[in-house]
């Protein structure tokens, strides 16, 4: 029956059961299965086939992503489970954090662990390190059975953790581990022998013959040899990175082969990095620092920094996140859990460059979307259902792992509880290893106030902290905004941090002032001393980057290829558009689906395919694609295509996409090159607001708002009208289709893109005399201004009617109030119509809107709060909120106000879909105003223009 091992003792001390530790680490990925087994007693009389019937016992199988274990047999199910968990903890070498052994205990445990690693039992444990122990049995001569200490340290987490306990400094000086392990080995001097150079250890006496036999049997008996392709990264940046072939064989130890390729005698001279890239990969760097031999006369605990010789290999150091000296080899090879055979795979130059760009946040995102030339890390996390690719939180985890930082810590604050009721703050630490799921609230958060918002304002704020491996706080961010959903708070916070980190990586030689000012803008606090300590190598790489590109491929010129003759504003050239216009255009907030192909083209017309995607979906307006692509798309309608040239992105991006980098490199060095994109706009899905406005109301809500405004214009016989926040001019456009008394129309907005569309449309409509509808109006002048409606401009004063439809909710509440004051105290239109969504109506919209099916049903059930209708909305008010706001304004500025709306009915709950306030000025003549201009005239038209263009 099972006995308690040292891991169980350790776990006991920590007050966490083995199962709890496993659950902390693996959550639902750990599955326990308990079998009943019958106790059988050893048969004492071999001649008689008598089996006594025994008690019923239990044995537990624990399946984890990395391994599975089987417990011994126990009389209680519970014990079997704990024993299985305990065994897994032991095998995984999980360091039980809460357990703080004294230094003496740590030494004892270290000695025990070492004894276990060298035991015959360990050889068949399935631990990756056991593969090395088996392989070194095949080494020839005096190296037979010798295992490099660095290998033990790298592949056994438990050993390393114990060393860190004994001396925390080894975290930054891995070579210190060697001297600690040697000292521990001394205590086992009867059974372990150090080699004369003290870099390897071996058993004093060989394993028993039956053990050796079974080791041989468990591997394939065929003598196999195989070649793998690896990458050589020379330490001198003047030398090219290239592929090399390693000839491995089942009759030798692969680290000896790598040692030879690095020009040293044997495996113990080779340093192995931790894995690079995905957590599950076996890609590592191998290098051999020329190091002074450890001085035996030194006290073992005096871990001294061993003098390393050879020059710093900047490129390799950047990869490994540790200092690498001398030439390095990047290879994907190693022993994995529960496999007797050596895992190995080829690495290509493309893999090398993909690993390289995977170190930066935008690179992680691009790779997650398989769209290196098109995707960009978006600037905003709008809704979960619109985001594609890895989520910000996931990217931040990846980033921290890649850079050897501790896992990021997320904290949720529930602001609705208020800090007054909880002087210690309501900040609760989320279990950082578990994804935060909408549906299943973590118990901690549930305790923090039910996690439910009152539905009006967001309650969740998220704080992110990033620590170094040594637990120094590097960076901290607390969102100023509160979100209605935890996920949104977490993802947005992670994204902010990523955007800032990305800035550091994408701009080489960024000044610390710029970093600081950007951090300030985003609300990020970073501790530059620790930050620079951790990212020192990254900045070194920046310094070398230019010389790297120049020397390696002679490509420097191409990175800075300057404006072509026909270069368009956004950096693209030779634009060709084709296909039938369908009239369906993408706009901000739309989900857009494109198909594209990106090629490398030389001036001489040579072309090489780099990347293509049949369907690539993203949200417009949040920077989810490179800016020029979004620019082109606003000019296309569904079904149309565009082909155009663009400047080359940085070299590493090109080579990360290229299938065949030698060809690509030769093309790149053959002359001026550029990218050629061919893009087809396949689909456009309107944002929630537009979709629901179209689907639920007839005529559509937007049309109803226009009609509402029209009615007031006609009733008031207004001569002049101003549309505050006119957008792309939908109201002005529609007005021209009706006969009105209007002679002067003006639109103001801050979106130049929208204004450009408005200008295009108004221009063609006002100038076409043939249009009978247009000719029926009396418009004499029209102006479009670019400027904020919260700022005073005398040209916006004194209109008969002002409209501001579905605009205020796009501003922060403070700004909306500012606008209210400016418009009623200074612009003083005789009538002002303001519309904004009625938040209470969302319950209807979101129950009936067809897109609800796409969404996670848990999300809806969990929260009474409804989404805003459009991701750009900063608030959506209830009727009471809007009424308070408008009533207060009208009183203060001597206006009257009436409430109404469109969509639905005012006297039926929950009121109109769009609520409207109509303000009427009480004074006949408003006070005169001073001249002041801040708006920019974007487009202007007067009646004369029409006759001119008619000629
Ligand atoms: N009134 C239009 C557009 C509504 S969308 C319609 O009903 O179709 C909201 C518009 O408000 C956007 O075009 C946005 O650019 C504009 N906007 C937001 N804040 C603004 C500000 N401070 N000044 C001017 N326009 C603003
Ligand atoms: Mg709106």
């Amino acid at each position: 029956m099972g006995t308690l091992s040292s891991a169980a003792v350790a776990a006991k001390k920590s007050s966490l059961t083995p199962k709890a530790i496993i659950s902390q680490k693996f959550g639902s990925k750990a599955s326990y299965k308990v079998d009943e087994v019958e106790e059988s007693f050893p048969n004492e009389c071999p001649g008689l086939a008598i089996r006594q019937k025994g008690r019923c016992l239990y044995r537990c199988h624990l399946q984890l992503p990395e391994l599975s274990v089987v417990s011994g047999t126990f009389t209680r199910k519970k014990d079997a489970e704990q024993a299985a968990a305990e065994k897994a903890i032991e095998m995984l070498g999980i360091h039980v954090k809460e357990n703080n052994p004294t230094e003496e205990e740590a030494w004892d445990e270290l000695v025990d662990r070492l004894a276990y690693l060298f035991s015959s039992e360990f050889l068949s444990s399935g631990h990756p390190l056991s593969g090395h122990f088996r392989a070194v049995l095949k080494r020839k001569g005096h190296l037979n059975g010798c295992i490099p200490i660095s290998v033990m340290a790298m592949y056994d987490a438990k050993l390393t953790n114990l060393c860190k306990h004994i001396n925390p400094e080894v975290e930054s000086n891995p070579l210190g581990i060697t001297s600690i392990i040697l000292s521990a080995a001394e205590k086992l001097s009867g059974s372990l022998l150090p080699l004369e150079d003290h870099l390897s250890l071996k058993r004093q006496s060989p394993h028993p013959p039956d053990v050796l036999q079974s080791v041989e049997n468990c591997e394939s008996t065929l003598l196999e040899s195989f070649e793998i392709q690896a990458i050589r990264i020379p330490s001198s940046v003047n030398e090219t990175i290239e592929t090399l072939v390693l000839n491995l064989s089942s009759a030798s130890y692969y680290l000896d082969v790598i040692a030879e390729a690095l020009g040293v005698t044997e495996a113990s001279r080779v340093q192995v990095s931790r894995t690079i890239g995905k957590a599950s990969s076996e890609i590592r760097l191998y290098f051999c620092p020329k190091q002074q031999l450890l001085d035996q006369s030194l006290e073992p605990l005096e871990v001294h920094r061993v003098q390393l010789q050879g020059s710093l290999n900047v490129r390799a150091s950047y990869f490994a996140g540790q200092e690498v000296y001398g030439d390095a080899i990047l290879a994907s090879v190693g022993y994995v859990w529960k496999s007797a055979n050596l895992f190995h795979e080829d690495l290509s130059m493309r893999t090398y460059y993909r690993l390289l760009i995977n170190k930066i946040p935008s690179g992680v995102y691009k790779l997650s979307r398989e769209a290196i030339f098109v995707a960009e890390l978006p600037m905003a996390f709008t809704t979960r259902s619109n985001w594609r690719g890895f989520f910000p939180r996931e990217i931040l985890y990846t980033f921290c792992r890649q850079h050897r930082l501790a896992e990021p810590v997320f904290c949720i604050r529930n602001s609705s509880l208020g800090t007054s009721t909880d002087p210690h703050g309501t900040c609760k630490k989320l279990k950082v290893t578990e994804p935060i799921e909408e549906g299943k609230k973590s118990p901690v958060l549930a305790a923090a106030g039910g996690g439910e918002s009152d539905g009006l304002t967001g309650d969740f704020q998220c704080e992110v902290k990033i620590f170094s491996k040594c637990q120094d706080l590097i960076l901290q961010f607390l969102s100023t905004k509160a979100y209605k959903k935890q996920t949104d708070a977490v993802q947005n916070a992670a994204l902010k941090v990523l955007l800032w980190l990305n800035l550091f990586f994408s701009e080489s030689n960024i000044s610390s002032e710029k970093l600081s000012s950007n951090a300030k803008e985003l609300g990020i606090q970073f501790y530059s001393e620790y930050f620079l300590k951790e990212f020192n190598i990254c900045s070194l790489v920046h310094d070398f980057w230019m010389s790297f590109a120049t020397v390696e491929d002679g490509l420097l010129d191409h990175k800075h290829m300057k404006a072509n003759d026909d270069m368009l504003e956004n950096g693209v050239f030779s634009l060709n558009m084709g296909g039938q216009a369908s009239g369906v255009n993408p706009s901000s907030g739309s989900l857009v689906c494109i198909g594209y192909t990106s090629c490398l083209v030389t001036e001489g017309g040579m072309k090489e395919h780099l990347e293509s995607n049949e369907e690539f979906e993203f949200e417009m307006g949040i920077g989810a694609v490179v800016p020029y692509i979004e620019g082109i798309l606003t000019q296309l309608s569904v079904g149309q295509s565009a082909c155009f040239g663009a400047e080359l992105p940085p070299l590493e991006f090109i080579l990360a996409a290229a299938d065949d980098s030698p060809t690509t490199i030769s093309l790149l060095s053959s002359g001026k090159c550029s990218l050629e994109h061919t893009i087809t706009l396949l689909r456009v899905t309107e944002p929630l607001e537009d979709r629901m406005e179209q689907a639920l109301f007839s005529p559509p809500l937007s049309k109803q708002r226009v009609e509402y405004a029209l009615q007031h214009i006609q009733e008031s016989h207004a001569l002049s009208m101003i549309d505050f926040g006119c957008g792309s001019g939908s109201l002005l456009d529609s007005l021209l289709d009706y006969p009105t008394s209007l002679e002067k129309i003006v639109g103001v907005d801050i979106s130049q893109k929208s204004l450009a569309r408005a200008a295009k449309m108004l221009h063609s409509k006002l100038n076409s005399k043939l249009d009978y509808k247009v000719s029926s109006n009396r418009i004499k002048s029209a102006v479009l201004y670019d400027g904020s409606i919260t700022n005073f401009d005398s040209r916006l004063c004194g209109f008969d009617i002002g409209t501001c439809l579905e605009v205020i909710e796009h501003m922060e509440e403070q700004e909306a109030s500012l606008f209210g004051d400016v418009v009623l105290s200074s612009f003083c239109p005789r009538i002002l119509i303001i519309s904004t969504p009625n938040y209470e109506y969302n319950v209807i919209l979101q129950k009936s809107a067809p897109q609800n099916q796409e969404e996670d049903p848990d999300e809806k059930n969990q929260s009474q709060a409804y989404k805003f209708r459009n991701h750009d909305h900063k608030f959506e008010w209830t009727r009471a909120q809007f009424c308070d706001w408008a009533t207060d304004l009208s009183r203060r500025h001597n206006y009257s106000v009436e409430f109404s709306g469109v969509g639905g009915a005012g006297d039926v709950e929950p009121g109109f879909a769009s609520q409207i306030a109509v303000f009427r000025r009480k004074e006949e003549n408003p006070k005169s105003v001073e001249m002041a201009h801040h708006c920019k005239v974007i487009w202007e038209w007067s009646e004369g223009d029409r006759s001119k263009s008619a000629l």
Side-chain angles (χ1 to χ4, degrees), residues 693-718:
E693 289 207 353
Q694 302 290 332
L696 260 78
F697 300 96
S698 170
L701 265 193
S702 49
K703 182 120 205 281
Q704 293 191 40
R705 279 192 291 264
V706 170
E707 283 169 0
Y708 188 90
L710 191 73
Q711 190 193 332
H712 281 270
I713 290 165
Q714 285 169 337
E715 280 170 15
S716 66
H717 307 288

Side-chain angles (χ1 to χ4, degrees), residues 393 397 407-411 429-436:
R393 187 173 172 279
Y397 270 91
E407 283 190 338
V409 176
F410 289 87
C411 255
K429 210 164 159 177
L430 287 178
K431 265 203 297 185
V432 288
T433 46
E434 289 304 303
I436 300 165

Side-chain angles (χ1 to χ4, degrees), residues 265-286:
T265 48
E266 50 103 1
S268 72
R269 307 279 149 177
V270 178
Q271 285 279 317
V272 185
S273 80
R274 57 183 202 117
T275 60
I276 290 166
K278 278 194 308 232
S280 59
S281 93
E282 269 305 315
I283 302 177
R284 295 172 191 265
L285 273 166
Y286 300 87

Side-chain angles (χ1 to χ4, degrees), residues 689 806 809-810 873:
E689 183 173 33
E806 307 292 293
E809 71 277 6
H810 293 263
H873 287 179

Side-chain angles (χ1 to χ4, degrees), residues 235-449:
S235 90
S236 158
V237 289
N238 298 330
E239 286 175 52
T240 309
I241 291 168
E242 56 194 13
T243 57
L244 86 158
V245 170
L246 298 172
N247 288 302
L248 306 181
S249 116
S250 60
S252 62
Y253 181 32
Y254 77 91
L255 273 176
D256 285 331
V257 177
I258 293 178
E260 198 189 323
L262 285 167
V264 290
T265 48
E266 50 103 1
S268 72
R269 307 279 149 177
V270 178
Q271 285 279 317
V272 185
S273 80
R274 57 183 202 117
T275 60
I276 290 166
K278 278 194 308 232
S280 59
S281 93
E282 269 305 315
I283 302 177
R284 295 172 191 265
L285 273 166
Y286 300 87
F287 53 103
C288 30
K290 298 191 196 80
Q291 65 206 35
Q292 284 179 354
L293 295 189
L294 288 174
D295 185 346
Q296 274 312 102
S297 66
L298 277 170
E299 268 291 295
L301 278 183
E302 252 177 62
V303 178
H304 54 289
R305 214 169 165 81
V306 177
Q307 192 62 47
L308 293 170
Q309 290 162 8
S311 52
L312 184 68
N313 185 330
V314 180
R315 293 176 292 195
S317 300
Y318 180 63
F319 260 126
Q322 74 186 75
E323 289 174 7
V324 172
Y325 290 86
D327 292 351
I329 287 175
L330 187 73
S332 180
V333 56
Y335 291 100
V336 293
W337 278 99
K338 287 193 301 179
S339 167
N341 297 318
L342 186 65
F343 166 84
H344 58 92
E345 105 201 303
D346 288 336
L347 287 187
S348 61
M349 290 303 286
R350 183 167 181 258
T351 320
Y352 167 80
Y353 285 104
R354 289 169 83 88
L355 287 170
L356 192 62
I357 66 172
N358 209 30
K359 301 267 300 187
I360 60 175
S362 75
V364 176
Y365 183 75
K366 282 168 178 285
L367 290 175
S368 81
R369 302 228 50 196
E370 286 292 334
I372 292 169
F373 298 117
V374 168
E376 265 316 338
L377 182 65
M379 302 297 291
F381 181 87
T382 52
T383 64
R384 221 162 116 112
S385 47
N386 280 9
W387 185 277
R388 301 287 180 275
F390 284 171
F391 279 57
R393 187 173 172 279
E394 225 173 327
I395 300 176
L396 194 56
Y397 270 91
T398 306
F399 177 85
C400 290
R401 199 177 56 237
Q402 306 268 335
H403 290 271
R404 303 197 70 178
L405 304 171
E407 283 190 338
V409 176
F410 289 87
C411 255
I412 287 282
R413 285 167 202 247
N414 189 332
S415 53
S416 71
L417 293 178
T419 39
S420 55
T421 54
D422 182 357
H424 308 296
T426 50
C427 185
K428 299 278 159 138
K429 210 164 159 177
L430 287 178
K431 265 203 297 185
V432 288
T433 46
E434 289 304 303
I436 300 165
E437 286 169 49
E438 272 312 287
K440 294 181 231 150
K441 259 178 288 165
S442 87
V444 182
L445 286 160

Side-chain angles (χ1 to χ4, degrees), residues 725-727 730 749-751 787-790 805-807 810-811 815:
C726 63
S730 60
D749 205 287
I750 40 165
S751 161
S788 174
I789 55 174
T790 56
L805 305 184
E806 307 292 293
V807 175
H810 293 263
M811 313 186 218
E815 277 186 87

Side-chain angles (χ1 to χ4, degrees), residues 724 802-804 819 823-824 829-834 917-920:
F724 297 107
T803 49
C804 182
F819 165 69
V823 70
L824 297 188
R830 201 147 49 83
I831 298 170
L832 174 67
I833 303 176
I834 298 185
V918 181
F919 297 86
R920 285 195 168 78

Side-chain angles (χ1 to χ4, degrees), residues 546-567:
M546 294 323 250
S547 56
F548 155 62
T550 333
V551 176
E552 186 152 322
D553 310 300
L555 301 170
L556 192 61
D557 293 349
H558 308 293
K559 285 181 83 171
H560 295 284
M561 191 188 68
K562 266 295 152 257
N564 220 297
D565 307 338
D566 56 347
M567 183 78 80

